Amino acid sequence: MEQCFLAVDIGASSGRHILGSIKEGSLFFEEIYRFENGMKNKNGHLCWSTKSLFLNIIEGMKKCREIGKIPVSIGIDTWGCDFVLLDENDQVVGDTVAYRDKRTTGMDEVLSRSISPEDLYRRTGIQKQIFNTVYQLTAIKEKNPEMLEKARTFLMIPDYFNFLLCGKKANEYTNATTTGMVNAASKQWDRELFEKAGFPADIFLPLSTPGTVLGDLLPEIAAQVGFSCKVVLPCTHDTGSAVAALPCTDTAADGKMPLYISSGTWSLLGTEQMEPRTGEQMRALNFTNEGGYDYRFRILKNIMGLWMIQSLRKELAASHGKISFDELDGSAEKQDIPSIVDCNEQCFLAPDSMTDMVKLRCAQTGQRVPETPGELAAVVYNSLAVCYANAVKELESIFGCTYTDLYIIGGGSRSVLLNTLTAKKTGLNVHTGPSEATAIGNCLVQMISAGVFADLQEARASVKNYVALGGN
């Protein structure tokens, strides 16, 4: 009987349920449910609706029963940094505020009074992003200390959904590293950091690794969806799952892992290493050491990514009507506007208007201001490609080598224009796909846990074959 594994991959704008299996010796993936996600204004903050998201998780699981494909297990991955606090009755304390909210403004300065940026990086190896969990918790401590007083458990977003599914509380390692509170050397929570920052250490649970079986669905959940299965931890951080699905072997011909871009709402450009690098050069260049499968490290840089294009597209719809990504790409390809913006500037994180911000930064830097949808998109795409090229040069300086290949995975791998510009600006051989790398990596870890694959090396070899056969 065919074994299938259910990946629930939830991003900032949408979520999807994808079933993975082996058919005729090759990987096979089938999307069975998709739903929208997004931040909503609530009580003056940008928030997530965890209730709505969980209802969609359940609805997607019901589809498995409807189509007669019962999964061996389910794994959930989401974006990083965001979390819930549970009280003594396991009720959520306060609103689930999103990472793009402005409550963390200035919290880096507040935290630096207790622990210096240099010491924080030496401990965790996590790049400074104002939305890191460590700054979110600092904001709560400063502005809503009663929330921390009520808190008994800290759970990242996918940890919380796993708890609702099977009743087991666990903090998964890869997503925990995005908090900026896991010690890169010990690969455990940095308890001394909690003390310095003034966070209650007892709310954080021992870290569990990808592949851990949490347990079976709760009876009431099984009754709702019409079946029972195991709840298994994938890399619950979406980038961790995406990188697990790289279609290449551990060691390239020249003895090093190639570069990758996990291309979606964010562009995560980096390479994989077995040891972290937490020196001053890394901190100064703002590279991160996120945890991956089997305690590998994703040494990468966050680049604003397709969030900018997604935002432009939504805003342009109000004045120009609905524009598809393909139409916007086609229009951008015809433009010759030379203007470039720094996609990593904080002003692009959550502007009131992305259109106005791109125009403003072009004007402020004495460049031609884009006016048409095509020109706006062209500025963003060219700017992203330049940011990629700069990050590649920085990685080459860090590792003292020259790279030849770049793997672009995730939804952004479908953008022919961005891929072409990336190849042109970086001078690298660009390989694209799979586009659903996150869900595929999620399934792969479940499959390794179930014994379908012996290890990550074998699983990645299957992805390489899948892409070669035309899989997306």
Side-chain angles (χ1 to χ4, degrees):
M1 183 177 178
E2 175 188 316
Q3 287 186 314
C4 58
F5 301 83
L6 179 61
V8 180
D9 169 32
I10 307 176
S13 58
S14 66
R16 59 210 57 81
H17 290 55
I18 292 181
L19 284 171
S21 59
I22 303 291
K23 285 190 176 182
E24 298 178 356
S26 298
L27 287 169
F28 179 80
F29 298 98
E30 175 185 10
E31 181 181 307
I32 61 170
Y33 187 74
R34 183 175 284 261
F35 56 95
E36 292 186 357
N37 186 27
M39 299 168 288
K40 306 293 184 184
N41 281 296
K42 182 180 180 183
N43 298 323
H45 295 284
L46 291 174
C47 298
W48 303 110
S49 173
T50 53
K51 182 178 180 180
S52 174
L53 288 172
F54 189 67
L55 287 174
N56 274 293
I57 290 173
I58 295 299
E59 287 304 307
M61 292 174 71
K62 290 178 181 178
K63 294 293 181 182
C64 296
R65 167 55 68 186
E66 291 176 15
I67 64 177
K69 295 182 179 181
I70 307 304
V72 173
S73 60
I74 178 175
I76 300 175
D77 67 75
T78 74
W79 62 96
C81 296
D82 289 343
F83 59 92
V84 299
L85 299 173
L86 301 183
D87 65 17
E88 59 185 3
N89 298 313
D90 291 331
Q91 298 301 303
V92 176
V93 178
D95 297 324
T96 307
V97 179
Y99 65 91
R100 290 189 190 271
D101 186 74
K102 292 180 171 60
R103 68 173 174 170
T104 53
T105 301
M107 290 303 115
D108 51 342
E109 296 179 10
V110 173
L111 184 64
S112 68
R113 299 169 196 160
S114 304
I115 181 170
S116 71
E118 293 81 5
D119 189 19
L120 184 62
Y121 190 85
R122 277 195 299 271
R123 290 170 179 272
T124 68
I126 297 301
Q127 66 183 324
K128 182 181 177 181
Q129 297 281 6
I130 196 60
F131 51 74
N132 288 350
T133 315
V134 68
Y135 299 125
Q136 294 195 45
L137 286 172
T138 300
I140 291 175
K141 184 172 74 75
E142 292 294 308
K143 302 173 183 180
N144 304 101
E146 71 283 356
M147 290 178 62
L148 285 180
E149 292 171 5
K150 292 179 182 177
R152 296 295 178 270
T153 310
F154 168 95
L155 295 176
M156 303 293 282
I157 298 294
D159 297 338
Y160 176 56
F161 293 145
N162 287 331
F163 169 60
L164 295 180
L165 285 177
C166 69
K168 176 71 178 294
K169 297 176 186 175
N171 291 152
E172 189 272 323
Y173 167 71
T174 67
N175 216 343
T177 64
T178 71
T179 65
M181 298 185 294
V182 172
N183 189 287
S186 70
K187 305 177 182 67
Q188 301 298 324
W189 292 118
D190 193 316
R191 302 283 169 177
E192 187 175 335
L193 191 159
F194 294 154
E195 183 178 352
K196 288 176 176 286
F199 303 152
D202 58 354
I203 67 175
F204 300 93
L205 305 172
L207 296 181
S208 299
T209 55
T212 299
V213 179
L214 293 184
D216 296 312
L217 297 179
L218 290 168
E220 57 268 32
I221 298 296
Q224 276 186 271
V225 301
F227 63 88
S228 188
C229 68
K230 300 292 183 184
V231 177
V232 173
L233 293 179
C235 297
T236 66
H237 183 219
D238 50 12
T239 310
S241 277
V243 172
L246 279 173
C248 57
T249 55
D250 273 9
T251 305
D254 54 5
K256 62 179 180 293
M257 280 294 289
L259 299 177
Y260 61 78
I261 299 176
S262 179
S263 181
T265 300
W266 288 93
S267 292
L268 298 315
L269 189 153
T271 189
E272 187 177 75
Q273 299 287 310
M274 294 307 296
E275 298 295 333
R277 292 201 173 206
T278 60
E280 182 58 23
Q281 182 189 20
M282 288 284 291
R283 188 189 74 83
L285 293 173
N286 210 29
F287 275 86
T288 203
N289 293 265
E290 293 175 352
Y293 183 80
D294 199 24
Y295 290 124
R296 297 158 187 260
F297 286 90
R298 301 190 308 279
I299 295 181
L300 59 83
K301 174 165 283 193
N302 277 44
I303 298 169
M304 201 64 71
L306 293 177
W307 159 254
M308 297 178 72
I309 289 292
Q310 293 163 355
S311 299
L312 285 177
R313 182 168 168 263
K314 288 180 180 178
E315 293 165 12
L316 290 168
S319 55
H320 292 77
K322 190 173 182 180
I323 304 174
S324 71
F325 286 110
D326 287 344
E327 288 171 335
L328 201 54
D329 283 16
S331 180
E333 192 173 9
K334 299 172 184 176
Q335 310 304 318
D336 61 0
I337 184 167
S339 305
I340 298 293
V341 297
D342 183 355
C343 298
N344 292 325
E345 287 187 320
Q346 289 299 307
C347 62
F348 296 117
L349 181 63
D352 293 333
S353 168
M354 186 66 73
T355 303
D356 291 345
M357 187 56 69
V358 172
K359 290 183 176 182
L360 176 63
R361 291 303 293 135
C362 287
Q364 289 175 334
T365 52
Q367 301 181 86
R368 178 177 156 191
V369 176
E371 297 296 342
T372 67
E375 287 181 342
L376 283 161
V379 169
V380 171
Y381 281 128
N382 278 299
S383 298
L384 285 172
V386 169
C387 281
Y388 298 164
N390 291 338
V392 169
K393 290 177 183 176
E394 290 171 346
L395 280 167
E396 289 180 335
S397 72
I398 289 169
F399 291 105
C401 65
T402 300
Y403 289 98
T404 57
D405 294 275
L406 174 66
Y407 288 79
I408 301 180
I409 57 178
S413 67
R414 297 190 185 103
S415 176
V416 176
L417 174 58
L418 183 55
N419 296 337
T420 300
L421 290 171
T422 299
K424 179 180 178 181
K425 296 295 185 181
T426 64
L428 300 177
N429 301 315
V430 169
H431 313 271
T432 60
S435 61
E436 290 289 358
T438 301
I440 291 172
N442 182 324
C443 284
L444 292 181
V445 172
Q446 295 182 61
M447 290 175 170
I448 294 170
S449 178
V452 175
F453 296 116
D455 52 27
L456 185 62
Q457 184 86 328
E458 185 178 341
R460 280 177 168 168
S462 72
V463 180
K464 184 176 182 179
N465 182 60
Y466 171 77
V467 173
L469 293 173
N472 63 0

